Structures are given as C-alpha cells and as structure tokens.
C-alpha cells in the first residue's frame, strides 16, 4: 500500500480547525487565543525544520552527526523541563539535574534497544536511533518535569513539616521520604495510565502512524509494545534519579533544608 | 570579646551543660553564654530580634558560625540528626504530617512514661488515637512538647511553649517541664514574652539584642528544684 501524500491544502484544512478553536477561546475569554496560534505556528516550523534535518541525517547516517543530533535533543529537553517548573532549583545544578536524569535513562534505554533488542546494523542507524530517542526523551521529559515541579512545590509548601521532622532528629532522607515518594508516583502515573488505556481507549500515536504508513498491524503493534515498555522503564528511571539528585541538592551535609537553593516567582514575592 | 578556645574549654566541670561561644547567624551575634546542668534559662527580647532563629541555630537547623558544645563536645562532631535529638527545639508552631496523633510518637519510647507525660498536661489515654485535624492549637502545642521529650534530650530549646494555653494548662505544662529537668538532669532555654512566666520558671534571664546578650537578674522562682 502506498502512502497518500498530504498536500499543503490538506494541512491548511486541519489548521483552520485550530483557528476556529482560537476564535472560540476569544469568545469564551480563555486568554489562550494567542498561545494557540503562536504554538501552532511554532510546532509547524519545528516539525518542518526537523523534516529537513532528518532527510539530511538519513542520507548521511554517520555516527558523529547522529550523536550531535542526540545531544541537541537532550539539551532542548533539559531546557523544557526547567521551563515547566514554577519553582526551580537554582543555577546550573537545576538544569543539570533534569538533563542528567534524562540522559541516564533515555540514552541507556535507547542503547539497549538498539544494540540488544532491535539489533539494527549499524546500531546508530538514524532511521531507528533518532525516532526512538525522541520518543523516549519526550516521555521522560514529561515525567521528570511533573515530578520535579511537584517536588519543589511540595518542599516549599511543606517546609514546616520537613523542618519539624528534622527538629525531631530525623535524617533528611526520613524527613523528606513522604514527599519524595509522592513525587516519584506523580512522575510515573501518566505512563502507567497510558499503558492501561493503550489499545482500548487510544491507539498510540506511533502505531497509528505506522499503520497509516502501510505497515501490517501486527508489526506495528509489536513495535508499539516495545516502545511502551521502553518508555515506561525510561520514565521510571529518569523520575527516580531526578528526585534522588534533587533531594541531595536541597539538603546540606548538616541535614538542613536549603530553600534558598530554589528560585521562582513565588519566592521573589516574599 | 572572644577568648581563645583553649582558655575556656577545660576544666570539665559538671555544672556546664551547653556552652555557646561566639554564635553568629544571619546578621545577629556574636552571642556567648552558658547553660548549666539542670538549669532553666529564660530568654526574652523584642519581637523579631531573632530569638527563634537563635534556637534554630543552636539546634543546627540554620547555618551559623561559632561553637556550640554539649558537655564539652562540639556540635560538629555529632551527626546533625543526633545533635537535634540531644539538643531539641520545640517551635512555637507545631507541624503534624500523619492523620492520627499516635503515629507521630516514636514507638521505641516507653509507653508508660509517655502516658504519664500526657496525663501530666491534662490528656486522657485515648489522645493517641485522636485525629490531628480535630486538635485545638493549645492541644497541638502540648502534644508537640511531649513529642519533643520523646527523644529524652539533654537540652530543651522551647519557643513560647505556653503561648496558646490557658492559665490552668500553662501551670501543668510548666510543672511538666521543670519535672523533666529534675528527673533527667536536663537543661532548658526558655523563650517567652511573658516576664511573669520567666520569673516563675527561670533561674536566670537573658535579654537578646542584635549584637549580644544582656543578663537580667531574676528573683528565685517559686517552684522548687531541689532533688
């Protein structure tokens, strides 16, 4: 089966729907009309650009270029994690914790998938490596940013409880264990929920794309199962390591809660 | 003026429990004072002068400079959690994180002794099963004090321990604290705005200023402390 190529006209019909949504937002005074338009344009530009980059990447297929691309994706994800937090961990460490957690989880899981599971030759074949890493990074990013946002927020709001527990002679690990566990759960719940809904409620995006692209359904399903496993593992590892690192960062060696290591709008107002 | 450490540290006499030397935190200090064994030392000072912060510095919850010695041993030689369970601060506002009162009390603590203390400040036996959300401010304050005593600290740092209590429960609480000092040979640094209270409970009273401490003379308190 041949893929039906989309024309610019086809895309603009879909874009018109978004414009209608934007108008609706105006009438309902949701204040989202400009956001919808700007981010739609941004998304279009980003994807068109990545289309060009991928065409070039697939044509060349050399390891250094694949690695460069992977690095750019990683740092973009790191920036996005930081941007989604209300209260941030201050300085370069804040950036490094999110990025580091995603690096550890996404890259290691992608490597295992490429080398051991799919066994594509060479392992860095961009047609496999880049989409795989992209999907892992995207999902890990969601998990890590949810968990970190919750963590900083909870430490700020619950500082009385945390300090009270420290005052009673608990270690920082004990004093923060409830918060850290809750944040790990927050980061992992979305992927667990999406496993429950996969196939019943939603046809996952990648599978849909493959089927639209003409892949036999069973092959698409097998790939989708693989991807969901990888995403679940990657997100989980990423969330756990991000929370673990931020816990260390927010307490000093005398087990004091160091909220001055957070910055954000609510802190500045004090 | 600060004396060199070597000239003040030894001799190790029994009477000195907590020694604070040249303590500075935030923009406050330096403060130097001694808390004797079994002593109740009052601490007063204007609102916002840093009394609470001083207690937090002594229990090592905020960064500070200077030396704090318990029975001659510096705070830095202990892990911070151990230090805080020996030099325990009970803040004016207490925090609770489980639903049930009893879950906040260490299971290792002797149940009879705990019940005794609870009864001494006017609680019935079943208080440990109460919901936190239904406690009054005063009840929380008394429970928080007893929770602090569960580590059997050598030094208690009390921040306005009776601020939310009526006269009857204030008297019970004062008696409990003084009784604890007597039985455990512990010492207390008692922050209060209430001069009459400090006159009742404290042997000496220090007044906190930004740059130092001023000793006030206090009449002997009425509650007896002999063993």
């Amino acid at each position: 089966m041949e893929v039906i190529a989309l024309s610019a006209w086809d895309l603009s019909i879909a874009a018109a729907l978004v414009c209608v949504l934007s108008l609706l937002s105006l009438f309902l005074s949701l204040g989202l009309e400009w956001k919808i338009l700007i981010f739609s344009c941004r998304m279009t530009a980003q994807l068109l650009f990545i289309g060009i980059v991928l065409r070039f990447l697939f044509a060349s297929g050399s390891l250094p270029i694949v690695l460069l691309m992977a690095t750019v994706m990683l740092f973009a994800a790191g920036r996005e994690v930081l941007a989604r937090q209300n209260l941030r961990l201050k300085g370069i460490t804040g950036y490094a914790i999110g990025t580091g957690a995603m690096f550890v989880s996404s890259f290691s899981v992608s490597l295992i998938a490429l080398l051991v599971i799919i066994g594509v030759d060479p392992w860095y074949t961009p047609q496999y490596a880049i989409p795989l890493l992209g999907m892992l990074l995207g999902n890990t990013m969601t998990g890590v940013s949810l968990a970190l946002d919750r963590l900083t927020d909870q430490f700020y709001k619950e500082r009385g409880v945390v300090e009270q527990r420290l005052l009673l002679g608990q270690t920082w690990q004990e004093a923060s264990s409830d918060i850290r566990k809750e944040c790990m759960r927050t980061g992992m719940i979305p992927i667990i929920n999406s496993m429950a809904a996969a196939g019943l409620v939603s046809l996952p995006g990648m599978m849909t794309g493959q089927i639209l692209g003409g892949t036999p359904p069973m092959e698409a399903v097998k790939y989708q199962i693989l991807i969901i496993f990888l995403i679940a593992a990657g997100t989980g590892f990423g969330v756990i390591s991000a929370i673990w690192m931020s816990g260390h960062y927010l307490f000093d060696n005398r087990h004091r809660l160091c909220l001055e290591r957070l910055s954000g709008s609510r802190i500045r107002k004090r | 003026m600060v004396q060199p450490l070597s000239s003040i540290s030894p001799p190790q006499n029994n009477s000195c429990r907590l020694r604070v030397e040249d303590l500075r935190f935030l923009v406050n200090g330096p403060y130097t004072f001694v808390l004797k064994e079994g002593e109740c030392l009052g601490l007063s000072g204007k609102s916002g002068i840093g009394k609470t912060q001083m207690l937090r510095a002594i229990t090592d919850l905020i960064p500070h400079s200077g030396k704090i010695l318990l029975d001659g041993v510096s705070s830095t030689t202990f892990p911070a959690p151990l230090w805080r369970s020996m030099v325990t601060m009970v803040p004016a506002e207490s925090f609770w994180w489980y639903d049930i009162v009893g879950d906040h009390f260490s299971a290792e603590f002797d149940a009879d002794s705990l019940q005794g203390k609870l009864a001494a400040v006017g609680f019935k036996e079943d208080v440990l099963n109460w919901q936190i959300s239904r406690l009054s401010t005063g009840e929380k304050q008394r429970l928080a004090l007893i929770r602090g005593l569960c580590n059997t600290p050598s030094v208690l740092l009390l921040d306005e321990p009776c601020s939310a209590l009526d006269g009857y429960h204030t008297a019970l609480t004062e008696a409990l604290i003084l009784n604890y000092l007597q039985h455990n040979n512990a010492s207390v640094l008692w922050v209060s705005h209430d001069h009459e209270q400090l006159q009742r409970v404290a042997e000496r009273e220090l007044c906190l200023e930004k740059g130092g401490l001023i000793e006030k003379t206090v009449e002997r308190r009425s509650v007896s402390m002999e063993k």
Side-chain angles (χ1 to χ4, degrees), chain A residues 82 85 87-97 152 249-250 258-264 267:
Chain A
L82 211 59
Q85 279 164 254
L87 296 173
R88 295 166 196 180
L89 302 169
K90 245 186 209 165
I92 191 75
T93 323
Y95 187 78
I97 285 177
T152 51
Y249 181 62
L250 280 175
C258 305
L259 283 183
E260 68 276 6
R261 293 181 187 169
L262 289 179
S263 65
I267 301 245

Side-chain angles (χ1 to χ4, degrees), chain B residues 131-193:
Chain B
Q131 296 274 337
I132 292 294
S133 53
R134 295 168 72 172
L135 295 177
S136 74
T137 320
E139 285 170 332
K140 278 187 190 163
Q141 193 164 35
R142 282 177 284 148
L143 286 169
L145 173 69
I146 291 169
R147 184 175 60 179
L149 293 179
C150 281
N151 288 325
T152 27
S154 317
V155 175
L156 263 178
L157 309 169
L158 302 179
D159 193 1
E160 301 272 4
C162 303
S163 57
L165 304 184
D166 56 29
Y168 171 69
H169 288 106
T170 299
L172 290 183
T173 305
E174 287 173 3
L176 173 83
I177 295 166
L178 297 177
N179 189 28
Y180 176 82
L181 295 197
Q182 217 168 347
H183 280 88
N184 297 275
N185 210 11
S187 313
V188 60
L189 183 59
W190 189 314
V191 169
S192 180
H193 284 293

Side-chain angles (χ1 to χ4, degrees), chain A residues 81-270:
Chain A
V81 164
L82 211 59
R84 289 185 194 183
Q85 279 164 254
N86 238 332
L87 296 173
R88 295 166 196 180
L89 302 169
K90 245 186 209 165
I92 191 75
T93 323
Y95 187 78
I97 285 177
T99 314
M102 287 188 295
F103 173 73
V104 169
S105 62
S106 299
F107 276 59
S108 57
V109 170
S110 303
L111 266 186
I112 292 174
L114 289 170
L115 286 171
V116 184
I117 303 173
I118 307 178
V120 60
D121 181 50
W123 61 270
Y124 52 84
T125 306
Q127 282 89 332
Y128 285 85
I130 296 299
L132 195 64
L133 183 66
M135 248 180 300
L136 278 165
L137 270 179
N139 285 279
T140 316
M141 181 181 84
T142 309
V144 167
S145 59
L146 272 177
L148 281 183
D149 185 43
R150 180 111 186 127
L151 184 86
T152 51
D153 186 66
Q154 283 290 299
F155 271 123
Y156 186 69
K157 279 190 191 144
E158 299 284 317
R159 59 191 183 282
V161 165
V162 175
E163 292 199 327
Q164 173 79 76
R165 296 179 72 159
L166 292 173
L167 283 176
L168 290 168
Q170 297 193 352
T171 60
W172 74 261
Q173 289 93 337
E174 292 170 295
S176 64
S177 64
D178 291 338
I179 290 182
R180 286 183 298 136
K181 276 185 217 162
E182 193 196 318
C183 296
M184 289 182 190
R185 276 196 291 267
T186 305
M188 285 190 242
I189 284 294
I191 181 65
I192 294 173
N193 285 346
S194 75
M195 280 204 271
L200 288 176
V201 184
S202 63
L203 280 189
M206 187 204 104
M207 196 175 103
T208 314
Q210 271 191 313
I211 293 175
L212 285 179
T215 312
M218 268 331 266
E219 289 310 308
V221 163
K222 278 192 276 180
Y223 262 95
Q224 187 62 54
I225 292 174
L226 172 73
I227 291 292
I228 292 183
F229 280 151
L230 296 179
I231 287 174
T235 306
F237 300 151
V239 166
I240 290 172
S241 51
I243 296 297
W244 183 78
M245 286 189 278
S246 348
H248 277 269
Y249 181 62
L250 280 175
F251 291 89
D252 67 9
N253 58 351
R254 295 298 291 171
H255 298 255
R256 300 177 188 126
L257 179 60
C258 305
L259 283 183
E260 68 276 6
R261 293 181 187 169
L262 289 179
S263 65
S265 49
R266 255 175 300 165
I267 301 245
R268 257 180 264 127
K269 264 184 218 155
R270 277 202 305 174

Side-chain angles (χ1 to χ4, degrees), chain B:
Chain B
M1 268 315 290
V2 191
Q3 291 173 270
L5 191 62
S6 52
S7 65
I8 23 178
S9 255
Q12 281 298 318
N13 60 12
N14 287 340
S15 67
C16 172
R17 166 73 7 123
L18 190 77
R19 184 188 284 276
V20 174
E21 287 168 12
D22 201 23
L23 177 71
R24 292 169 196 264
F25 50 89
L26 306 173
V27 294
N28 304 34
Y31 303 117
T32 298
F33 66 93
V34 161
L35 189 55
K36 296 198 224 64
E37 212 167 82
E39 182 184 34
C40 177
L41 179 61
L43 183 67
S44 59
K46 275 181 292 186
S47 184
I49 200 78
K51 300 185 293 295
T52 301
Q53 293 305 323
M54 174 143 112
L55 298 192
R56 284 160 66 89
I58 295 175
T59 199
D60 206 3
L61 197 66
I62 56 170
H64 55 85
S65 65
K67 275 199 161 268
I68 305 166
L69 303 117
L70 180 69
D71 298 325
V73 188
S74 166
S75 62
T76 52
T77 56
F78 298 99
L82 179 60
W83 175 259
R84 288 184 199 125
S85 60
M86 296 186 304
V87 178
T88 296
M89 174 180 177
V90 182
E93 188 188 354
S94 66
F95 288 90
W96 305 82
W97 52 97
Y98 299 124
D99 289 337
I100 304 292
V101 173
D103 292 343
H104 297 82
F105 289 82
S106 150
E108 295 146 37
F109 196 67
D110 175 33
D112 290 338
S113 164
L114 177 59
Q115 284 298 345
K117 287 187 172 63
L118 289 170
V121 288
F123 284 111
K124 298 209 180 71
E125 271 176 30
D126 64 340
V127 66
L128 291 179
N129 300 323
W130 288 7
Q131 296 274 337
I132 292 294
S133 53
R134 295 168 72 172
L135 295 177
S136 74
T137 320
E139 285 170 332
K140 278 187 190 163
Q141 193 164 35
R142 282 177 284 148
L143 286 169
L145 173 69
I146 291 169
R147 184 175 60 179
L149 293 179
C150 281
N151 288 325
T152 27
S154 317
V155 175
L156 263 178
L157 309 169
L158 302 179
D159 193 1
E160 301 272 4
C162 303
S163 57
L165 304 184
D166 56 29
Y168 171 69
H169 288 106
T170 299
L172 290 183
T173 305
E174 287 173 3
L176 173 83
I177 295 166
L178 297 177
N179 189 28
Y180 176 82
L181 295 197
Q182 217 168 347
H183 280 88
N184 297 275
N185 210 11
S187 313
V188 60
L189 183 59
W190 189 314
V191 169
S192 180
H193 284 293
D194 180 353
H195 280 281
E196 284 173 24
Q197 179 174 55
L198 289 184
Q199 294 207 334
R200 278 197 304 274
V201 298
E203 286 139 43
R204 289 185 299 145
E205 185 182 329
L206 299 175
C207 183
L208 191 69
E209 308 264 326
K210 272 278 179 252
L213 290 157
I214 297 166
E215 173 127 20
K216 286 189 174 177
T217 43
V218 182
E219 297 157 39
R220 287 299 303 175
R221 62 169 186 251
S222 50
V223 187
S224 71
M225 267 290 287
E226 70 270 12
K227 294 199 173 172

